Amino acid sequence: MRALRILLVLVVVLAGVFIAVDRAAVYFAEDQAADRVQVSGARIGSTDVSIKGFPFLTQVAGSELDEVDVKITGIETSAGGRKLRISRMNAELHQVRLTDGFSGATAARATGTAVVSYKDLTAAASEDVAVEYGGNGKVKVTGAVNILGRTISRSVLSTVTLVDGHTVRVHADKVPGEGIPGLEALVREKTDFEREVGGLPNGLKLQRIQPTAEGLEISVTGTDVALAG
């Protein structure tokens, strides 16, 4: 009996040591992964990585992690032209394969939410145009239009939609001078625009978009999503 008690104590101690080592390895890996997250063809700001599942060490041994949650602040394409900057994105990555000596990672599938702030949407709009939340799932677009030598500032409520799974379209529901030849087109040159969402990680696609008080919330999903390497 005494030997059995000693054995049980040793098992409990070893289990505790294993858990402590496993958790320490997770924290170290999360810090390292946050520094290594990359998005092809884009610049990114800060990143935060949370590795789920237990035990972690056995997942690493199999070169595949069950789930990794990634938060990225600021994703913008390095290409020229006006493209929308993703203000922040949260993504849940599943079945994350580790490659290239753990320097690369690709998720078999992913879901998440990307947010484009109205500040970033304004920066991507036409010159001298401001965009803000208009309530009831609409955005308010304010811009100055030159009509017969006079500069007139006007605000319109607009609907936001996705085009071809990678482009955001802002289209005014109604504009001043609607139906008047030439005038409506002049106003819409300011209020209406389309911008490609730049810097989306390879494998992710835009699914649904919804204007909210915090910005444009865009649901994303994808397969074989690469975030490093």
Side-chain angles (χ1 to χ4, degrees):
M1 290 296 294
R2 184 171 181 274
L4 180 59
R5 286 197 297 270
I6 293 174
L7 179 60
L8 289 175
V9 170
L10 286 175
V11 169
V12 171
V13 171
L14 290 175
V17 170
F18 175 77
I19 292 173
V21 171
D22 191 81
R23 293 302 88 190
V26 167
Y27 299 144
F28 176 77
E30 289 173 343
D31 287 340
Q32 292 295 307
D35 292 336
R36 293 184 180 182
V37 169
Q38 300 174 13
V39 177
S40 179
R43 298 182 295 270
I44 64 176
S46 63
T47 59
D48 182 74
V49 175
S50 178
I51 300 173
K52 306 297 183 180
F54 178 82
F56 167 69
L57 293 175
T58 57
Q59 296 181 66
V60 172
S63 297
E64 183 174 296
L65 306 178
D66 296 336
E67 180 184 337
V68 178
D69 294 348
V70 178
K71 297 179 181 180
I72 304 177
T73 301
I75 307 176
E76 55 186 316
T77 180
S78 56
R82 289 194 176 188
K83 295 189 178 183
L84 280 182
R85 176 182 183 269
I86 299 174
S87 308
R88 63 182 184 275
M89 184 181 72
N90 298 337
E92 295 181 359
L93 312 177
H94 300 273
Q95 294 175 270
V96 180
R97 299 185 300 275
L98 305 175
T99 59
D100 302 326
F102 304 127
S103 64
T106 301
R109 56 189 178 87
T111 58
T113 302
V115 176
V116 176
S117 70
Y118 292 114
K119 178 181 178 181
D120 285 327
L121 187 58
T122 294
S126 304
E127 294 291 342
D128 302 321
V129 166
V131 187
E132 58 188 312
Y133 185 53
N136 298 319
K138 303 285 185 177
V139 299
K140 183 170 76 171
V141 181
T142 302
V145 181
N146 188 291
I147 300 176
L148 300 177
R150 295 181 59 190
T151 300
I152 302 174
S153 180
R154 288 290 184 268
S155 295
V156 298
L157 288 178
S158 302
T159 297
V160 182
T161 56
L162 288 176
V163 180
D164 297 330
H166 56 73
T167 299
V168 171
R169 172 184 289 166
V170 178
H171 183 79
D173 297 342
K174 293 182 179 181
V175 298
E178 193 168 54
I180 301 176
L183 182 55
E184 179 178 355
L186 184 64
V187 175
R188 287 192 179 277
E189 282 182 5
K190 283 287 187 179
T191 62
D192 295 3
F193 59 93
E194 293 184 5
R195 295 292 184 268
E196 184 179 350
V197 178
L200 202 67
N202 291 336
L204 276 184
K205 296 181 180 179
L206 309 181
Q207 294 294 315
R208 294 180 301 277
I209 189 167
Q210 177 65 42
T212 71
E214 300 299 320
L216 303 182
E217 289 191 359
I218 309 172
S219 298
V220 297
T221 186
T223 56
D224 295 327
V225 179
L227 279 177

